[in-house]
Amino acid sequence: MIGELKTLTAKEAWNFLKPRHYAGRRPQISKAFGWYIEDRLVAVCTFGKPASNTLCEGICGKEWTSHVYELNRLCRVDDLT
């Protein structure tokens, strides 16, 4: 399965995720990527800042909290084979 990975805007990612992702709520999207096969968007992956600053400090220390991101959505179309 050959395709192309492209950067998406938060709006493009959310438009893909909203009808497909079980959580149904919009995450904080800092970075988003889409996988295209033959010009069709088939999967989206988004990253954002964790809700807990304490978690960020615990992972990397106070000095590096601004560099902590988490994978918050990963979703694909159902008919991807």
Side-chain angles (χ1 to χ4, degrees):
M1 193 178 326
I2 297 175
E4 183 178 4
L5 186 66
K6 296 181 181 179
T7 302
L8 301 177
T9 66
K11 183 177 180 179
E12 290 170 323
W14 180 238
N15 286 340
F16 179 89
L17 292 168
K18 187 177 180 181
R20 293 177 178 87
H21 198 275
Y22 70 92
R25 67 170 188 80
R26 184 172 190 216
Q28 192 274 337
I29 299 172
S30 299
K31 297 283 183 185
F33 303 94
W35 186 252
Y36 287 83
I37 297 177
E38 297 178 3
D39 295 322
R40 177 182 174 219
L41 181 59
V42 297
V44 167
C45 176
T46 64
F47 298 86
K49 298 296 291 175
S52 169
N53 195 47
T54 306
L55 171 75
C56 295
E57 287 180 17
I59 291 171
C60 292
K62 209 171 225 176
E63 179 182 358
W64 298 99
T65 59
S66 65
H67 299 283
V68 177
Y69 290 85
E70 65 181 355
L71 169 67
N72 54 25
R73 294 290 185 274
L74 179 60
C75 187
R76 67 172 179 84
V77 295
D78 289 334
D79 63 343
L80 186 61
T81 55

